[in-house]
């Protein structure tokens, strides 16, 4: 989010359209459905980030091995004059999902725009991008997910996709609503193309509702609880301990997918379910740069410093 390369969290991108990979991740009835078990829970604590912003970091380096290809998940909150000024990225993708307010983006390739509540920004940083992200309204909240790229795609040209809130496919059944940001649920599919095969679903469950979402057996998966009433968010088994808001729930691999119950009698449950195909490659990270070897990180730092190999505008560009 900030322009210093010693930080590990930065927002990302603008966009263009491509087609999604065919991901078999349809929802299922409870009959004969075998849910994944929960293997870890992480409460996302508040910390300062960027220039005066606050984030809850749900995924950090300690969870990366369990959640390959995912590198980081932040729930952010930012108000003017705070923000995320000019900073670089290389070697991965960022997904920014605005929950409230808006974020205005500029990058050194001339892209500029604002995404508002319910909109999604999916940026492939590839070989290099420098950009800024600044708050548009008084209160601005959202999620940002970092997704690793395979070694063969880390040095591709940057690419951008966007979905406005009205363009995100939605479905509802039996007190369960879903917004399909990536992947498939309830028989509907997102148009977002995912280079690293990924599922990103935003669920809202009415009090007493339950749902069972299929996930490919070999994929890593986790949930992040955004809103929940007392005793509301229950995963894996109907008699499991409830999970509070701002908690990451990590699931084991295998079985049919993920089961969830809203045990609250009065409040809705909202969470995102995110899953992806593991890359199984070494991860070497230095702030906003994610490569496979230390030599590649050293080269990236040199490229950024001298303005070459994707960072040609680094010395001259400044956001307005």
């Amino acid at each position: 989010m900030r322009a210093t390369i010693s930080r590990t969290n930065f927002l990302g991108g603008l966009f263009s359209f491509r087609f999604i990979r065919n991901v078999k991740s349809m929802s299922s009835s409870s009959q004969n459905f075998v849910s994944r078990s929960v293997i870890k829970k992480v409460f996302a604590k508040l910390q300062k980030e960027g220039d005066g912003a606050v984030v809850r970091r749900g995924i950090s380096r300690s969870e990366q091995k369990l959640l390959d290809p995912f590198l980081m998940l932040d729930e952010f909150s930012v108000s003017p004059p705070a923000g995320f000024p000019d900073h670089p990225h290389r070697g991965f993708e960022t997904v920014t999902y605005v929950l409230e307010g808006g974020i205005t983006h500029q990058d050194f390739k001339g892209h500029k725009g604002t995404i508002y509540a319910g909109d999604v920004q999916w940026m492939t940083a590839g070989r290099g991008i420098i950009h800024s992200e600044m708050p548009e309204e008084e209160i601005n909240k959202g999620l940002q997910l970092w997704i690793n790229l395979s070694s063969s795609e880390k040095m591709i040209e940057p690419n951008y996709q966007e979905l406005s809130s009205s363009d995100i496919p939605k479905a509802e059944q039996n007190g369960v609503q879903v917004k399909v940001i990536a992947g498939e649920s309830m028989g509907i599919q997102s148009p977002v193309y995912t280079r690293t095969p990924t599922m990103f679903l935003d669920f809202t469950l009415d009090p007493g509702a339950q749902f069972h979402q299929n996930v490919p057996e070999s994929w890593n998966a986790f949930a992040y609880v955004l809103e929940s009433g007392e005793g509301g968010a229950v995963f894996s088994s109907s008699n499991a301990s409830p999970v509070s808001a701002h908690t990451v729930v990590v699931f084991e691999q295998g079985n049919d997918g993920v089961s969830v119950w809203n045990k609250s009698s009065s409040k809705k449950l909202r969470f995102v379910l995110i899953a992806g195909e593991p890359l199984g490659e070494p991860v070497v990270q230095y702030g906003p740069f994610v490569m496979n070897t230390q030599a590649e990180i050293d080269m990236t730092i040199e490229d950024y410093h001298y303005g070459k190999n994707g960072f040609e505008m680094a010395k001259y560009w400044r956001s307005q």
Side-chain angles (χ1 to χ4, degrees), residues 94-160:
T94 66
V95 182
T96 305
Y97 183 30
V98 178
L99 302 175
E100 183 178 353
I103 296 292
T104 295
H105 159 268
Q106 297 181 54
D107 72 29
F108 73 165
K109 290 184 175 293
H111 297 107
K112 183 177 181 179
T114 302
I115 54 173
Y116 294 96
D119 297 346
V120 175
Q121 176 188 73
W122 199 295
M123 182 187 80
T124 303
R127 66 198 300 258
I129 200 79
I130 300 176
H131 69 169
S132 67
E133 290 152 312
M134 302 301 289
E136 181 67 17
E137 300 182 5
E138 185 59 32
I139 299 175
N140 307 272
K141 298 180 179 180
L143 297 174
Q144 181 165 87
L145 176 71
W146 285 16
I147 307 173
N148 203 6
L149 286 171
S150 66
S151 57
S152 63
E153 295 188 304
K154 285 186 176 296
M155 294 298 287
I156 62 174
E157 289 297 322
N159 183 64
Y160 306 89

Side-chain angles (χ1 to χ4, degrees), residues 36 47 56 58 102 104 108 139 142 159 185 190 195 232 234 241 243 251 274 277 288 304 311:
R36 296 178 174 210
Q47 64 183 65
R56 290 184 180 271
T104 295
F108 73 165
I139 299 175
N159 183 64
S185 184
S190 168
R195 293 183 178 277
V234 174
S241 299
V243 178
F251 302 100
I274 297 172
E277 184 175 51
Y304 178 61
F311 291 114

